Amino acid sequence: FGSQIGVTPTPAAMLVRDDHAVHHLVRGSAPAQVPAAAGYADQSHLAHEVRAFTGATPAVAANEPWLAVDDPAWPTSAGI
């Protein structure tokens, strides 16, 4: 997995979960509901991982201009 993707499965799953959470915020999902919808244990867990990957809070990350053209990573059948 690591040689093909560039990271091991755990960080890859974390990146996908982070991407789903930020896209939920961009679509206007209620911030209190996003952690559960994206698979986080709680809101502080979401905030910690988003900051680790983006260097910003979830609210700031959701307003980044690159998200306007960024498709969700690994889209689900539910259309995340």
Side-chain angles (χ1 to χ4, degrees):
F1 190 92
S3 65
Q4 295 295 313
I5 304 297
V7 294
T8 59
T10 299
M14 291 167 65
L15 284 167
V16 170
R17 183 172 54 193
D18 177 71
D19 186 71
H20 284 239
V22 172
H23 278 87
H24 274 289
L25 291 168
V26 167
R27 284 193 318 274
S29 296
Q33 295 175 343
V34 171
Y40 288 96
D42 55 32
Q43 199 162 3
S44 65
H45 187 203
L46 164 73
H48 175 76
E49 279 196 9
V50 170
R51 187 177 299 275
F53 287 121
T54 66
T57 65
V60 170
N63 289 314
E64 290 294 330
W66 54 266
L67 285 170
V69 296
D70 179 47
D71 290 329
W74 301 56
T76 65
S77 61
I80 78 153

